[in-house]
Amino acid sequence: MAVADTRPAMRTMQVPMLDLQAQYRPIRDQIIEVVTRVCDSQRFIMGPEIEGLERELAAFLGVKHAVGVSSGTDAILLAMMALGIGPGDEVITSTYSFFATAGCVARLGATPVFVDIDPVTYNMDPAGVAAVMTPRTKAIIPVHLYGQSADLDPIVELATRAGVPVIEDAAQAIGARYKGRLVGSIGRLGCFSFFPSKNLGAFGDGGLVTTNDDDLAAVLRRMRVHGADRQYYHRVIGGNFRLDALQAAVLRVKLPHLAGWTEARRRNAARYDQYFADLGLTDRVTRPVALADRYHIFNQYIVRVPDRDAVKAHLESRGVGCAIYYPVPFHEQECFAFLGAAGTGFPHAESAARETLALPIYGELNADQQRYVVDVMAEALNRAA
Ligand SMILES: *Cc1c(COP(=O)(O)O)cnc(C)c1O
């Protein structure tokens, strides 16, 4: 039945989960040049590289203000600090995301309130948000997981009716669109990450907060430097949330390539879809669903198989990198046991945590490597059957 069975004895290849070298090689000279420029200037904190990047990113993302920060985690923390969120406040978010989304809420002494996901997109279920809104709700944080926008219209509508801000966790979704609009420009605040594995990755940590609100932008900029308007005069308590000039310089080289890199990821996602169909695996492997009203940037290409752990072990034994994002939803994390949320009804997040697997999807991946990945998937499924 499966085409793979009739193919010659399978070859072995190494396909890493991520290959940053392949992206770096063609831009190496430019990178070295700007890093040298920063080194020669000996200007490492704030300054023209940060200002230039912020201008360029504000234009790229279609927002009034883009504030460079030290990481995606700090972007979320700073966004909530700027809104004055603290003890006694509730912040609604998805139970299924990278740890930072909920961790930042708890670090400020506020209470994370979890919502289950939509089983098709893995994003926050808006109906779940409506069910947990209370007078203590001070923000809603939808996460654009894997690079596809959450269903923002009903979430923004609920938030607006309650007078509560939406903070978009767009760490995995730079350049993604919802009904034509770029994510990070739709909520009150948008948070981005430049962690090296994100679509726009720095050479270390970095992040960004976006907003169209002038007053909030001023608060973000002040709180980024310890709450000081001028040095050593502190109006409010902030922190050191600055982006390095070296990182900004690297990101300015990469930004003009981002749209092309995203298109390459989308092409590769379509190619995986085609290969899964060619091998007759579509009823055994659930592939990502890119909704028609969204532009998916494929930070991750997520498949779903019942026997996930065995499939993962087989892929790894055949040289194919893969990863689980994420094995434990927030409501089951040990550090959140005090919330008493475990076992209170998040069936979709729990089954996603058991069944999903991320395959390599960077733009430099070639057709031969992708065919090998899908061949090995077929091999794994035939072994399990
Ligand atoms: C990566 C990520 C973050 C945190 O970004 P860092 O730059 O690693 O601190 C937050 N939320 C989500 C959904 C992420 O994927």
Side-chain angles (χ1 to χ4, degrees):
M1 170 206 84
V3 181
D5 294 342
T6 66
R7 289 162 66 84
M10 278 210 33
R11 58 202 172 128
T12 297
M13 263 171 95
Q14 296 298 315
V15 185
M17 181 61 193
L18 185 61
D19 184 0
L20 290 173
Q21 291 286 353
Q23 186 190 72
Y24 172 58
R25 243 174 268 125
I27 56 171
R28 183 181 180 279
D29 290 350
Q30 268 178 291
I31 297 272
I32 300 294
E33 192 183 311
V34 298
V35 167
T36 304
R37 182 169 83 205
V38 175
C39 290
D40 287 349
S41 79
Q42 287 293 298
R43 219 164 149 194
F44 301 120
I45 303 295
M46 302 309 289
E49 296 293 350
I50 308 290
E51 287 159 23
L53 177 70
E54 289 180 344
R55 236 181 1 255
E56 289 151 17
L57 278 168
F60 181 84
L61 293 168
V63 289
K64 234 168 133 184
H65 305 280
V67 180
V69 295
S70 31
S71 69
T73 303
D74 286 345
I76 299 167
L77 191 68
L78 180 60
M80 278 190 286
M81 285 172 71
L83 293 170
I85 288 168
D89 296 338
E90 293 176 357
V91 176
I92 300 171
T93 193
S94 169
T95 191
Y96 197 58
S97 175
F98 176 64
F99 179 74
T101 319
C104 291
V105 177
R107 282 170 69 188
L108 291 174
T111 305
V113 176
F114 303 128
V115 167
D116 202 4
I117 54 169
D118 169 82
V120 173
T121 62
Y122 308 108
N123 276 323
M124 174 188 254
D125 171 20
V129 177
V132 297
M133 297 273 290
T134 78
R136 288 180 302 280
T137 304
K138 286 289 143 50
I140 304 171
I141 312 185
V143 182
H144 306 310
L145 204 65
Y146 308 140
Q148 177 161 246
S149 174
D151 190 9
L152 286 177
D153 274 352
I155 295 169
V156 169
E157 194 187 313
L158 279 167
T160 307
R161 213 182 306 140
V164 162
V166 169
I167 303 171
E168 296 177 64
D169 182 343
Q172 300 182 9
I174 190 164
R177 278 181 245 134
Y178 177 75
K179 301 185 178 177
R181 299 166 70 192
L182 283 153
V183 302
S185 72
I186 301 168
R188 181 82 57 85
L189 293 145
C191 300
F192 294 87
S193 165
F194 305 126
F195 187 78
S197 69
K198 305 294 160 86
N199 284 30
L200 180 62
F203 284 11
D205 282 306
L208 188 82
V209 185
T210 53
T211 187
N212 287 314
D213 182 319
D214 297 343
D215 295 335
L216 261 181
V219 176
L220 292 168
R221 291 185 187 285
R222 190 181 303 132
M223 283 192 152
R224 172 172 63 175
V225 287
H226 298 289
D229 271 328
R230 57 190 169 112
Q231 217 175 7
Y232 310 128
Y233 291 80
H234 303 268
R235 244 217 273 178
V236 291
I237 299 169
N240 175 357
F241 299 124
R242 293 181 297 254
L243 176 67
D244 276 1
L246 275 167
Q247 299 303 343
V250 167
L251 290 166
R252 293 181 79 188
V253 172
K254 286 190 163 199
L255 181 58
H257 297 279
L258 182 58
W261 290 336
T262 298
E263 275 304 306
R265 283 173 179 267
R266 287 168 54 82
R267 175 205 64 210
N268 287 353
R271 198 147 61 192
Y272 270 139
D273 289 346
Q274 182 61 50
Y275 290 167
F276 280 118
D278 290 349
L279 294 196
L281 294 174
T282 49
D283 52 348
R284 296 167 72 191
V285 179
T286 304
R287 288 147 305 132
V289 175
L291 297 177
D293 62 357
R294 295 169 217 192
Y295 182 78
H296 195 324
I297 65 154
F298 285 98
N299 179 242
Q300 300 298 345
Y301 182 93
I302 301 293
V303 295
R304 185 167 185 148
V305 285
D307 202 4
R308 192 266 318 272
D309 292 342
V311 169
K312 178 171 186 282
H314 184 71
L315 261 61
E316 284 167 347
S317 76
R318 303 287 272 111
V320 175
C322 53
I324 299 169
Y325 302 122
Y326 297 90
V328 184
F330 293 151
H331 66 276
E332 290 180 338
Q333 291 288 352
E334 203 179 325
C335 68
F336 292 136
F338 73 96
L339 295 169
T344 58
F346 304 93
H348 299 307
E350 287 168 20
S351 63
R354 276 193 308 270
E355 297 179 349
T356 56
L357 188 63
L359 301 180
I361 189 63
Y362 42 94
E364 298 79 9
L365 204 64
N366 64 42
D368 193 40
Q369 290 173 305
Q370 288 191 270
R371 178 59 195 234
Y372 178 74
V373 172
V374 177
D375 282 346
V376 173
M377 281 286 296
E379 202 180 60
L381 292 165
N382 290 336
R383 285 160 58 100

